[in-house]
Amino acid sequence: MDKDSSYGGVCVAMIQRQPDVRIRHLDVVWEFDGGERILTMHEQAYSDNDSHQSPADLGRGFAITDHVSPRTNHMIALFRCGENRPSLSIDFAPVVRGRDAVQDMFAFMRIAQQRFGEIHDCTPRAA
């Protein structure tokens, strides 16, 4: 995350399997403005999936595991950070069998929000 990205940004981690094929394993997207709109769009897009509501400390949002798409784990949360109501969304590849993907997403979101607050000089809290 870059402090100069005042409106939003994307961080992507990829691996290269072949010279011309890159596979995205992790996406983190953040938006300062329009977080409510972004969350609503995600809620509509994933309304047919079984979603898991975010824990209260992460703000308003949900996590899903979709066993169809390449990045099967998706989470979004709308939270407060100072005067702003940013949203963070995280997509990542399947987790190792035996792990709880939903709890992993919740833990990852806590880390992402904490780091967001450090970079943007604000304290993340529930929306």
Side-chain angles (χ1 to χ4, degrees), residues 4-37:
D4 293 335
S5 301
S6 59
Y7 296 106
V10 177
C11 177
V12 178
M14 296 201 234
I15 64 167
Q16 193 159 346
R17 297 266 180 178
Q18 300 169 2
D20 58 344
V21 178
R22 290 187 199 173
I23 299 172
R24 294 167 72 160
H25 281 278
L26 171 69
D27 294 355
V28 178
V29 179
W30 64 98
E31 296 281 341
F32 271 106
D33 296 325
E36 188 79 37
R37 179 182 53 82

Side-chain angles (χ1 to χ4, degrees), residues 2 43 50 122:
D2 182 353
E43 287 171 335
D50 288 330
C122 58

Side-chain angles (χ1 to χ4, degrees), residues 27 29 39 42 46 52-55 58-65 72-78 88-92 101-110 113:
D27 294 355
V29 179
L39 178 60
H42 282 247
Y46 294 105
H52 306 269
Q53 293 302 308
S54 300
L58 293 177
R60 196 174 117 222
F62 63 91
I64 62 161
T65 56
T72 61
N73 301 297
H74 175 76
M75 178 166 187
I76 184 167
L78 176 70
L88 272 171
S89 64
I90 300 169
D91 291 289
F92 60 91
V102 173
Q103 292 304 313
D104 285 351
M105 284 186 275
F106 293 160
F108 193 23
M109 182 60 77
R110 282 186 182 92
Q113 286 183 0

Side-chain angles (χ1 to χ4, degrees), residues 38-51:
I38 301 291
L39 178 60
T40 300
M41 286 183 351
H42 282 247
E43 287 171 335
Q44 291 170 350
Y46 294 105
S47 64
D48 293 339
N49 297 64
D50 288 330
S51 64

